[in-house]
Amino acid sequence: MKSHQSTQTMKPATAAKKLGVYLEATPAEFQEGVVSRAELDRLQAEPPEWLRELRANGPHPRPVVAAKLGVSIAGLARGGITEPLTTEQIEALKQEEPEWLQKERATQAEVRKEAARIKKRNAEREARSEGPRS
Protein backbone atom coordinates (compact mmCIF):
# COMPACT_ATOMS: atom_id res chain seq x y z
CA MET A 1 0.00 0.00 0.00
CA LYS A 2 1.31 3.43 -0.95
CA SER A 3 1.26 6.13 1.63
CA HIS A 4 0.58 9.65 0.54
CA GLN A 5 0.88 12.82 2.51
CA SER A 6 -2.18 15.00 2.56
CA THR A 7 -1.81 18.74 2.53
CA GLN A 8 -2.77 20.35 5.80
CA THR A 9 -5.23 23.17 5.32
CA MET A 10 -6.93 25.64 7.59
CA LYS A 11 -10.02 27.77 7.49
CA PRO A 12 -9.59 31.38 6.39
CA ALA A 13 -10.44 32.58 9.92
CA THR A 14 -7.55 30.56 11.35
CA ALA A 15 -5.16 31.80 8.68
CA ALA A 16 -6.24 35.42 9.25
CA LYS A 17 -5.65 35.01 12.98
CA LYS A 18 -2.17 33.60 12.35
CA LEU A 19 -1.44 36.50 9.97
CA GLY A 20 -2.74 39.05 12.50
CA VAL A 21 -5.36 40.53 10.18
CA TYR A 22 -9.11 41.10 10.33
CA LEU A 23 -10.76 38.40 8.21
CA GLU A 24 -13.60 40.59 6.91
CA ALA A 25 -11.03 43.03 5.47
CA THR A 26 -9.23 40.36 3.43
CA PRO A 27 -9.97 39.76 -0.27
CA ALA A 28 -12.99 37.61 -1.09
CA GLU A 29 -10.84 34.82 -2.59
CA PHE A 30 -8.98 34.55 0.74
CA GLN A 31 -12.22 34.50 2.76
CA GLU A 32 -13.87 31.89 0.56
CA GLY A 33 -11.00 29.44 0.16
CA VAL A 34 -8.88 27.26 2.35
CA VAL A 35 -5.27 28.00 3.14
CA SER A 36 -2.56 25.36 3.14
CA ARG A 37 0.42 25.49 5.48
CA ALA A 38 2.65 26.18 2.48
CA GLU A 39 0.42 29.09 1.39
CA LEU A 40 0.45 30.51 4.91
CA ASP A 41 4.24 30.27 5.04
CA ARG A 42 4.44 32.00 1.66
CA LEU A 43 2.07 34.78 2.80
CA GLN A 44 4.20 35.34 5.90
CA ALA A 45 7.50 35.29 4.03
CA GLU A 46 6.40 37.34 1.03
CA PRO A 47 3.20 39.21 1.92
CA PRO A 48 1.18 40.42 -1.07
CA GLU A 49 0.18 44.08 -1.29
CA TRP A 50 -3.25 43.53 0.31
CA LEU A 51 -1.64 41.88 3.35
CA ARG A 52 1.01 44.59 3.73
CA GLU A 53 -1.73 47.22 3.49
CA LEU A 54 -3.90 45.52 6.13
CA ARG A 55 -0.99 45.10 8.51
CA ALA A 56 0.02 48.73 8.08
CA ASN A 57 -3.36 50.46 8.10
CA GLY A 58 -5.98 47.98 9.31
CA PRO A 59 -8.67 47.52 10.17
CA HIS A 60 -6.95 45.48 12.87
CA PRO A 61 -8.51 42.63 14.89
CA ARG A 62 -8.97 43.18 18.63
CA PRO A 63 -5.80 41.32 19.73
CA VAL A 64 -3.72 43.61 17.50
CA VAL A 65 -5.60 46.72 18.66
CA ALA A 66 -5.06 45.71 22.30
CA ALA A 67 -1.34 45.14 21.73
CA LYS A 68 -0.91 48.47 19.92
CA LEU A 69 -2.67 50.29 22.77
CA GLY A 70 -0.85 48.36 25.51
CA VAL A 71 -3.99 46.94 27.10
CA SER A 72 -5.74 43.58 27.35
CA ILE A 73 -8.60 42.48 25.11
CA ALA A 74 -10.88 42.63 28.16
CA GLY A 75 -9.62 46.17 28.76
CA LEU A 76 -10.70 47.10 25.24
CA ALA A 77 -14.18 45.79 25.97
CA ARG A 78 -14.32 47.69 29.26
CA GLY A 79 -13.36 50.80 27.28
CA GLY A 80 -16.21 50.20 24.85
CA ILE A 81 -13.99 49.14 21.94
CA THR A 82 -15.65 46.12 20.38
CA GLU A 83 -15.02 46.70 16.69
CA PRO A 84 -11.79 46.50 14.68
CA LEU A 85 -9.89 49.78 14.45
CA THR A 86 -7.64 51.26 11.79
CA THR A 87 -4.11 52.40 12.55
CA GLU A 88 -5.36 55.99 12.26
CA GLN A 89 -8.07 55.37 14.88
CA ILE A 90 -5.56 53.68 17.19
CA GLU A 91 -3.16 56.62 16.87
CA ALA A 92 -6.02 59.04 17.60
CA LEU A 93 -6.85 57.11 20.79
CA LYS A 94 -3.20 57.24 21.83
CA GLN A 95 -3.20 61.01 21.31
CA GLU A 96 -6.51 61.55 23.13
CA GLU A 97 -5.53 59.14 25.89
CA PRO A 98 -9.02 58.86 27.37
CA GLU A 99 -9.41 58.00 31.04
CA TRP A 100 -10.33 54.36 30.34
CA LEU A 101 -7.13 53.89 28.30
CA GLN A 102 -4.97 55.37 31.07
CA LYS A 103 -6.65 53.10 33.61
CA GLU A 104 -6.31 49.97 31.46
CA ARG A 105 -2.65 50.69 30.71
CA ALA A 106 -2.00 51.05 34.44
CA THR A 107 -3.83 47.78 35.08
CA GLN A 108 -1.80 46.04 32.39
CA ALA A 109 1.44 47.41 33.87
CA GLU A 110 0.45 46.03 37.30
CA VAL A 111 -0.36 42.63 35.76
CA ARG A 112 3.07 42.52 34.08
CA LYS A 113 4.79 43.64 37.29
CA GLU A 114 3.04 40.92 39.29
CA ALA A 115 3.86 38.27 36.67
CA ALA A 116 7.52 39.29 36.80
CA ARG A 117 7.48 39.14 40.63
CA ILE A 118 6.01 35.64 40.59
CA LYS A 119 8.48 34.48 37.95
CA LYS A 120 11.39 35.81 40.01
CA ARG A 121 10.03 34.21 43.20
CA ASN A 122 9.63 30.86 41.47
CA ALA A 123 13.14 31.05 40.02
CA GLU A 124 14.56 31.80 43.48
CA ARG A 125 12.65 28.86 44.99
CA GLU A 126 13.92 26.61 42.22
CA ALA A 127 17.51 27.77 42.79
CA ARG A 128 17.23 27.12 46.54
CA SER A 129 15.79 23.65 46.03
CA GLU A 130 18.64 22.74 43.67
CA GLY A 131 21.32 24.18 45.96
CA PRO A 132 24.01 22.16 47.78
CA ARG A 133 22.74 19.37 50.00
CA SER A 134 24.44 18.01 53.09
Side-chain angles (χ1 to χ4, degrees):
M1 189 194 254
K2 250 188 185 178
S3 71
H4 65 285
Q5 190 168 358
S6 63
T7 304
Q8 282 188 319
T9 59
M10 62 192 82
K11 294 178 182 176
T14 304
K17 188 174 185 177
K18 289 179 181 287
L19 292 169
V21 295
Y22 183 56
L23 177 63
E24 285 76 10
T26 62
E29 59 270 12
F30 181 86
Q31 292 180 39
E32 295 163 2
V34 290
V35 180
S36 71
R37 293 265 179 213
E39 288 172 301
L40 180 68
D41 291 344
R42 208 169 22 258
L43 286 169
Q44 289 174 325
E46 299 172 22
E49 182 58 34
W50 65 264
L51 182 53
R52 287 194 303 272
E53 179 69 23
L54 275 179
R55 285 178 169 169
N57 301 312
H60 302 287
R62 288 184 308 148
V64 174
V65 173
K68 286 180 179 275
L69 290 173
V71 300
S72 66
I73 294 173
L76 279 182
R78 286 189 292 268
I81 306 296
T82 57
E83 297 298 315
L85 298 180
T86 63
T87 300
E88 189 175 311
Q89 291 169 314
I90 293 168
E91 291 305 316
L93 272 173
K94 286 180 177 178
Q95 292 298 316
E96 292 168 22
E97 204 168 2
E99 187 177 327
W100 72 265
L101 182 56
Q102 294 173 31
K103 181 181 174 195
E104 291 302 331
R105 282 179 165 172
T107 300
Q108 194 70 359
E110 285 300 315
V111 168
R112 285 190 202 106
K113 188 174 162 184
E114 179 65 5
R117 184 191 69 77
I118 291 169
K119 185 177 179 180
K120 181 180 177 189
R121 182 199 66 198
N122 291 345
E124 288 170 354
R125 284 183 180 170
E126 185 72 22
R128 280 196 305 267
S129 69
E130 291 177 357
R133 296 182 184 205
S134 316

